[in-house]
Amino acid sequence: MAVRGSVNASIMITPEELALSLAAVEPPAVLDVRWQLGDPGFGQRAYAAGHIPGAVFCDLDSVLSGPAGPEGRHPLPDLDELARWLRDAGVDAEREVCVYGAREPMGAARAWWLLRYVGHERVRVLDGGLAAWQADGFDVTDEVPRPRPGSFTVRVVAEHRLDDALVQARADDGVLLDARAPERYSGESEPIDPIAGHIPGALNAPAAEMVDADGRMLSAELLRARFGQLGITPDTAVGVYCGSGVTAATDILALALAGMPAALYAGSWSKWTAQPDPPVATGPDPR
């Protein structure tokens, strides 16, 4: 099945392709990463109501994140615990992994980024999530699979993560993107964290603008044009943050589709504002 021209086949997968892959002799491991901010039980309820056959539920808050604290609201999980969970979910280093959300990437992009960070090289995101799967006529099930244990081990790829000490330097010497909504970036509204505004020098690139009305990623051509307007080329050093390191993964996914690598500031705004007297800018301009 041919891939839509807007989708990079090594990063995204269509419902048709996933259905064909699941019928193959060696199907991919599939992770259901449906997640909704403010509703910790949403993903599990949605999974129980119906999911792609063979998919294992992957909880963003407890599997893809550690406990909230000084490192942020969604800090990275303990990597040894993550590896154990992935093995139990049937993940091998050589077996392809497909991740999906409800519609927009959201938690699925976080899973995609984290798996790449710990060294898995064959991860794809279902374009349009479960909504696209069902819209294309494919069935869901409430049957919980029992995957064959995998053998995945962690191999951290450091360049996928932006070190705390380099965040401000990235804003000064490269491009630092803030993936939150414009009103949070400017400081007009801050419904979650105690301080409003953005990291000085950061440019606003809302994650919500990286997808179309159906929750599918924009074409590589459109994404290159959008990032080009922000001064980004394939050679630009790019860092991305959001409120807690979840939404920013959608920007990193979009940048990858555009052929522009980027690193995640995992603690994001929730960690930046936890430090004593953090530098903060407000208004629509970077500084």
Side-chain angles (χ1 to χ4, degrees), residues 207-227:
E209 297 180 3
M210 305 300 158
V211 299
D212 65 17
D214 295 321
R216 297 176 187 253
M217 299 299 295
L218 298 181
S219 71
E221 294 76 19
L222 279 176
L223 292 169
R224 276 193 290 270
R226 291 197 174 198
F227 292 126

Side-chain angles (χ1 to χ4, degrees), residues 228-272:
Q229 292 174 345
L230 298 174
I232 301 174
T233 72
D235 297 323
T236 305
V238 182
V240 189
Y241 74 94
C242 57
S244 64
V246 175
T247 306
T250 297
D251 269 19
I252 295 177
L253 181 66
L255 284 156
L257 287 169
M260 301 169 175
L264 174 69
Y265 175 36
S268 286
W269 188 246
S270 60
K271 182 177 183 182
W272 182 264

Side-chain angles (χ1 to χ4, degrees), residues 14-258:
T14 66
E16 295 87 352
E17 287 183 314
L18 179 55
L20 288 173
S21 295
L22 290 175
V25 175
E26 291 293 335
V30 181
L31 304 182
D32 181 316
V33 202
R34 281 179 282 177
W35 175 76
Q36 185 169 293
L37 181 64
D39 186 355
F42 168 79
Q44 184 65 70
R45 294 195 307 272
Y47 177 82
H51 51 268
I52 292 174
V56 175
F57 176 63
C58 180
D59 185 63
L60 186 144
D61 291 311
S62 62
V63 175
L64 303 180
S65 308
E71 294 297 307
R73 284 185 283 108
H74 288 103
L76 298 188
D78 178 278
L79 298 188
D80 289 334
E81 292 181 7
L82 174 65
R84 282 193 290 272
W85 188 92
L86 289 171
R87 288 193 291 271
D88 289 344
V91 175
D92 289 322
E94 300 302 322
R95 184 185 184 189
E96 182 176 63
V97 180
C98 294
V99 297
Y100 69 89
R103 182 177 157 102
E104 292 83 6
M106 292 294 286
R110 166 77 171 212
W112 168 83
W113 175 85
L114 185 55
L115 279 161
R116 291 168 70 240
Y117 174 67
V118 296
H120 203 296
E121 298 179 351
R122 299 183 61 205
V123 188
R124 292 200 280 176
V125 178
L126 177 62
D127 204 19
L130 187 68
W133 174 267
Q134 292 182 291
D136 283 358
F138 296 109
D139 292 333
V140 297
T141 181
D142 60 3
E143 183 178 347
V144 178
R146 294 185 177 182
R148 181 188 66 217
S151 58
F152 180 76
T153 56
V154 168
R155 178 182 56 83
V156 169
V157 184
E159 59 261 34
H160 289 317
R161 183 181 178 190
L162 189 62
D163 185 86
D164 293 345
L166 296 178
V167 176
Q168 191 63 67
R170 186 60 50 93
D172 294 337
D173 301 330
V175 172
L176 182 65
L177 297 180
D178 184 319
R180 296 174 300 162
E183 62 272 16
R184 292 187 69 193
Y185 169 84
S186 67
E188 295 175 26
S189 172
E190 182 44 69
I192 304 173
D193 294 305
I195 299 175
H198 59 266
I199 296 173
L203 306 176
N204 194 208
E209 297 180 3
M210 305 300 158
V211 299
D212 65 17
D214 295 321
R216 297 176 187 253
M217 299 299 295
L218 298 181
S219 71
E221 294 76 19
L222 279 176
L223 292 169
R224 276 193 290 270
R226 291 197 174 198
F227 292 126
Q229 292 174 345
L230 298 174
I232 301 174
T233 72
D235 297 323
T236 305
V238 182
V240 189
Y241 74 94
C242 57
S244 64
V246 175
T247 306
T250 297
D251 269 19
I252 295 177
L253 181 66
L255 284 156
L257 287 169

